[in-house]
Amino acid sequence: MFKHFLKRLAQMVVTLFIVSILVFVLANFIGDPVNMLVSPKAPPEVRDQVREELGLNKPILEQYAIFVTNALKGDFGKSYIYKEDVLSLIAQRAPATLELVFVSVVLALVISIPLGVYAGAFPKRKSSTLVMGGSILGISLPSFFIGIMLIYIFSLHLHWFPSSGRGATATFLGMKFSLFVPGGLKYIILPALTLSVTNIASLVRLTRAGVMENMRQDYIKFARAKGVSTRKVLFGHALKNALIPVITVFGMEIGSLIAFTTVTETIYSWPGLGKLLIDSINSVDRPVIVAYLILTTVLFVFINFVVDLLYTVIDPRIEFR
């Protein structure tokens, strides 16, 4: 395990190095932040002064070296637009995204696993066909269309949920969450459902395929012959062995949910990290963009490592080598 850990750590360092170069270079092609900070009618000397204050007058290699040196110290600079430390700004927006992702993950697991097991155990039933048809629809429809339709049906027509915003918040562990406020859940249901639809659809299909494959195995037939109940056969034997591909995809999806909630948060005006990224791109706020993408890479690498560990827990036959 220790050798495996060192190997993954080395891979993480190489990955972060490559990503930092790509992100830093590509961020320079988004646009010139001076155009957003200084009036077009300002004299050239004012623009040059701002460029010098931001360190944009230096060669790109020197800018990158300064960025890496500061990033290793935990300093990603200050936002050009918000005039705040980038990490502090991300920390302020993170709770909104984390609670949105948490509810989305819960919805995905509670809905997809039972439906996938049912569709895999009884594939010829009409209800199973309906479940698979719904999964195809969920994968095919874009998230912005799903969000707009949910707003139209449940907010504008039925008036069950708010159409946008986060509502009131309460402080928990030094961070502000809306889930701990009475009525806060109604603000998060629609965006969380919008965010989870694609994941639900893909997990249903993966779970169904895994369960169908395991239901044909000899150990399932043996368990049935011993008189083991159908519920225990499905959830205690077939599902457990079908979870490896599900965990792989689900682990990556959690990272994707946290990193790329941009569309959902924009539709519902949810003040999280995704909306912060979109606003930063629109305003060419390079420090925020670069820090966000690098921290996202760290998140993906960490989740991959955790998924590897879960493999050995679920299936002891898998070894670290």
Side-chain angles (χ1 to χ4, degrees), residues 18-37:
I18 296 174
V19 169
S20 66
I21 294 176
L22 293 175
V23 169
F24 193 85
V25 171
L26 293 176
N28 284 271
F29 291 100
I30 294 177
D32 190 352
V34 176
N35 295 331
M36 301 296 297
L37 300 173

Side-chain angles (χ1 to χ4, degrees), residues 107-117 199-201 203-204 207:
L107 288 175
L109 290 176
V110 170
I111 296 174
S112 64
I113 298 300
L115 288 180
V117 172
N199 296 324
I200 291 173
L203 291 178
V204 164
T207 305

Side-chain angles (χ1 to χ4, degrees), residues 263-286:
V263 175
T264 301
E265 291 187 356
T266 301
I267 292 173
Y268 291 96
S269 297
W270 191 264
L273 294 174
K275 194 169 186 304
L276 174 64
L277 178 63
I278 293 295
D279 294 341
S280 299
I281 292 174
N282 291 333
S283 58
V284 200
D285 199 345
R286 289 184 191 173

